């Protein structure tokens, strides 16, 4: 069963101190307990940089690495490393936040990867969005090295990463989730231990199916309203007060009307996630017809130069078919 454990209680911390001769004070507090863990963060892109920043701002020792070089503002307060291997050597909990399955595999087992510096007491936390099937294989390999593994993909995009309001979906052992949860709480708000390794990634794929189909629904509705002669902005406002209201209608509907397609969450990344869904569906013998349609709409956007648009830009593919933009002449 998924764990409902919270961070260690003060009585547990005190008990730990009584059993630890090196403890500096018999009433060592919770903050000190958490500070005893050294953290690593690999992947400092649009999402990773602010996430690592929250951990540093909370006072944790964070060892940092990214292929492009650690951003100067993070390097000043964190500890920049020359390789992923160096991060793993110096950290107890190693967080990975990179784009896709091959990137995670490279961080784990590639040249200068972390595998050579894993062992008992270390936890790998992959917060990327990758294949659930490969995740299970990665977890098995990591555990054979003596370390533990959590898959903990996130939802909320750049806005959520910056605001520390991400939704975090976690797969792995109960005790490992309990250990890492206090650090998750510094990066997100809705944190759920779903089940075993791979279940976090499965949940994220399901999330991306729902998001894509909601974007498609909002885009179709606004195009319909606009071509019928109604003001799409007023239609959206009216719908926000009814049963059709959703976060997608609120945020992405506004993007469609205002033509603000700077990411956000890039179409090419959502294409990657839907590809995981469709590959998984094939393996499971499940039909996902509307997911396939959403992927084709994203493919149309990418073919027209839009792979780096925000995923709300899916509306442009439907606009091409309707020969009508949501915002009219704007």
């Amino acid at each position: 069963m998924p764990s409902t454990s919270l961070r260690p209680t003060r009585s547990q911390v005190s008990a730990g101190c009584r059993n630890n001769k090196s403890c500096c004070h018999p009433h060592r507090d919770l903050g000190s307990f958490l500070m005893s863990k050294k953290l690593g963060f690999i992947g400092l892109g649009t999402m990773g940089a602010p996430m690592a920043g929250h951990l540093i701002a909370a006072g944790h020792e964070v060892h940092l690495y990214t292929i492009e070089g650690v951003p100067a503002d993070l390097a000043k307060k964190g500890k920049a490393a020359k390789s992923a291997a160096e991060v793993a050597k110096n950290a107890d909990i190693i967080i990975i936040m990179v784009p896709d399955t091959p990137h995670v595999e490279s961080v784990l087992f590639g040249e200068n990867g972390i595998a050579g510096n894993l062992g008992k007491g270390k936890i790998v936390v992959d917060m990327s969005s990758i294949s659930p099937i490969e995740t299970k294989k990665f977890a098995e390999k990591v555990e054979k090295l003596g370390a533990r593994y959590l898959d903990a993909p996130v939802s909320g995009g750049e806005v959520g990463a910056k605001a520390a309001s991400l939704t975090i979906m976690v797969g792995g052992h109960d005790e490992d989730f309990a250990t890492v949860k206090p650090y998750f709480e510094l990066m997100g708000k809705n944190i759920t231990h779903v089940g075993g390794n791979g279940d976090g990634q499965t949940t994220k794929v399901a999330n991306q199916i729902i998001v894509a189909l909601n974007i498609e629904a909002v885009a179709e509705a606004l195009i319909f309203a606009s071509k019928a002669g109604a003001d799409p902005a007023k239609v959206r406002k009216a719908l926000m007060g009814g049963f059709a209201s959703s976060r997608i209608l609120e945020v992405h509907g506004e993007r469609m009307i205002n033509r603000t397609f700077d990411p956000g969450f890039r179409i090419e990344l959502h294409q990657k996630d839907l590809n995981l869904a469709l590959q998984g569906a094939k393996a499971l013998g499940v039909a996902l017809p509307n997911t396939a349609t959403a992927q084709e709409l994203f493919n149309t956007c990418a073919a027209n130069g839009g792979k780096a648009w925000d995923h709300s830009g899916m509306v442009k593919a439907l606009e091409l078919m309707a020969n009508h933009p949501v915002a009219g002449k704007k």
Side-chain angles (χ1 to χ4, degrees), residues 304-325:
N304 285 274
K307 67 179 183 179
W309 297 340
D310 182 78
H311 53 172
S312 60
M314 180 197 282
V315 70
K316 290 191 175 185
L318 292 162
E319 288 173 344
L320 284 170
M321 289 187 278
N323 193 28
H324 181 85

Side-chain angles (χ1 to χ4, degrees), residues 22-278:
S22 64
C23 183
C24 62
H25 194 281
H27 300 292
R28 185 184 181 200
D29 65 14
L30 180 59
S32 298
F33 180 86
L34 295 178
M35 289 297 292
S36 68
K37 297 289 186 184
K38 295 179 181 179
L39 307 180
F41 208 108
I42 299 169
L44 302 168
T46 301
M47 300 282 289
M51 292 165 68
H54 295 312
L55 298 174
I56 294 170
H60 297 294
E61 179 179 319
V62 185
H63 297 263
L64 306 162
Y65 176 72
T66 191
I67 292 176
E68 296 80 8
V70 177
D73 59 328
L74 291 178
K76 287 180 181 178
K77 298 180 180 180
K79 294 182 178 293
K82 296 180 180 179
S83 67
E86 183 180 331
V87 170
K89 181 180 180 180
N90 293 305
D92 304 304
I93 298 172
I94 305 103
I95 298 170
I96 303 170
M97 187 63 174
V98 294
D100 204 349
T101 307
H103 303 101
V104 174
E105 184 173 23
S106 179
V107 169
L108 291 171
F109 310 114
E111 184 177 359
N112 292 318
I114 69 174
N117 288 309
L118 294 180
K120 187 176 181 181
K122 301 211 174 191
I123 303 175
V124 177
V125 183
D126 179 28
M127 302 188 77
S128 319
S129 295
I130 69 167
S131 165
I133 295 172
E134 294 303 310
T135 290
K136 292 178 182 180
K137 295 178 182 178
F138 295 162
E140 289 177 2
K141 289 182 179 180
V142 166
E143 292 194 354
K144 285 181 180 178
L145 296 171
R148 306 304 285 268
Y149 194 98
L150 293 175
D151 49 290
V154 305
S155 179
E158 181 181 5
V159 172
K162 289 182 175 179
S165 61
L166 293 168
T167 291
I168 305 175
M169 303 152 255
V170 189
H173 297 291
D174 291 356
E175 59 269 31
D176 301 326
F177 173 72
T179 297
V180 180
K181 188 177 181 184
Y183 307 106
F184 287 146
E185 290 173 340
L186 297 173
M187 299 180 282
K189 290 185 177 179
N190 181 22
I191 303 157
T192 305
H193 183 203
V194 183
N197 285 130
D199 290 348
Q201 295 293 352
T202 295
T203 305
K204 177 58 187 291
V205 171
N207 178 86
Q208 295 303 80
I209 292 171
I210 293 170
V211 170
L213 299 190
N214 272 274
I215 291 173
E216 182 180 359
V218 168
E220 288 188 12
L222 293 180
I223 289 171
F224 170 80
S226 180
K227 196 157 187 178
D231 182 339
K234 291 181 178 179
V235 169
R236 172 185 165 276
K237 182 178 179 181
L239 294 176
M240 282 299 298
F243 200 54
S245 177
S246 70
R247 184 67 172 158
I248 297 295
L249 178 61
E250 178 186 359
V251 176
H252 291 350
E254 185 174 39
R255 283 177 174 267
M256 294 172 192
I257 293 165
N258 294 335
R259 320 307 286 172
T260 52
F261 298 118
D262 295 334
F265 187 77
R266 299 193 306 276
I267 280 175
E268 62 184 332
L269 294 179
H270 211 144
Q271 284 179 290
K272 178 261 295 183
D273 292 340
L274 293 192
N275 189 46
L276 293 175
L278 294 170

